[in-house]
Amino acid sequence: MARKTVCCKKRGGMSMRHNKLQKLTLSALFAALIYVATNIIHIPTPGTNGYLNLGDSMVLLGAFLLGPWYGAAAAGIGSLLADLLLGYAAYAPGTLLIKGLMAVMAAFGLKVLRDRIGITAGVLISGAAAELWMAIGYFGYESAILGYGLAAAAGIAGNALQGAVGLALSAVLYQSLYHIPAVRKSVCAF
């Protein structure tokens, strides 16, 4: 049976203004990390004009650490910038929405699950649900908006692979960072 970890206690001592500034700063940092992780390795996928990348690991990590709203802003902006600057502008509007909602799903999922089934299981289940959304979201976007029709199904396997790698990396990074008391305190605040 998974060990349950009760995460959060009421937080005190930090002013609301300082907390918002800290979250905004971390959101900007994560947007940059998402852009860099997406840009470092981007492998074009045949048949869709899309590409595989490591950005999902930072999208999920940002969602888990920042919460749903700041995580969504970082995910959407960082991923949108990567699409624009890598020459995939047609994907940018879809990416903003898909990655933003991906972060919201992952953060809320972890918030609901962490005290019930434990941190590790919560990260894996909420991250897997978010990655499933990503694969479905891009299929729908490529099929309906970009006009690929059923040919968009060619991207599902690549998105699934990208999602699995992103989930694995984010889970390892999150578990490592969660053992740092300041990080754990910040994570439990949302």
Side-chain angles (χ1 to χ4, degrees):
M1 179 162 72
R3 191 177 115 213
K4 293 184 181 180
T5 304
V6 177
C7 171
C8 300
K9 295 180 181 176
K10 290 286 181 190
R11 172 182 174 130
M14 187 180 293
S15 75
M16 191 104 141
R17 181 179 302 170
H18 178 77
N19 187 36
K20 283 185 179 184
L21 180 60
Q22 182 182 37
K23 289 279 190 170
L24 284 171
T25 303
L26 288 172
S27 296
L29 175 65
F30 264 97
L33 286 171
I34 290 164
Y35 168 77
V36 169
T38 304
N39 196 9
I40 285 176
I41 297 177
H42 60 279
I43 303 165
T45 54
T48 65
N49 286 337
Y51 59 99
L52 299 175
N53 62 77
L54 296 177
D56 282 7
S57 62
M58 292 298 112
V59 167
L60 291 175
L61 185 62
F64 296 148
L65 294 176
L66 297 172
W69 311 122
Y70 290 99
I77 292 168
S79 299
L80 172 125
L81 287 173
D83 277 353
L84 290 174
L85 296 173
L86 288 170
Y88 295 92
Y91 280 84
T95 293
L96 177 67
L97 180 66
I98 292 165
K99 298 295 182 165
L101 288 175
M102 187 178 153
V104 169
M105 288 177 66
F108 274 130
L110 179 58
K111 184 176 183 173
V112 168
L113 296 173
R114 67 182 170 208
D115 292 336
R116 293 184 179 143
I117 62 174
I119 296 291
T120 302
V123 163
L124 293 174
I125 291 170
S126 63
E131 293 293 358
L132 178 63
W133 154 250
M134 182 268 298
I136 292 168
Y138 276 115
F139 171 74
Y141 186 76
E142 291 170 349
S143 178
I145 305 299
L146 297 181
Y148 295 161
L150 291 179
I156 293 174
N159 283 332
L161 175 63
Q162 175 178 304
V165 170
L167 176 57
L169 282 171
S170 68
V172 168
L173 290 170
Y174 183 77
Q175 287 296 324
S176 298
L177 291 171
Y178 190 77
H179 293 298
I180 300 169
V183 172
R184 184 177 24 247
K185 183 178 178 181
S186 176
V187 167
C188 292
F190 78 84

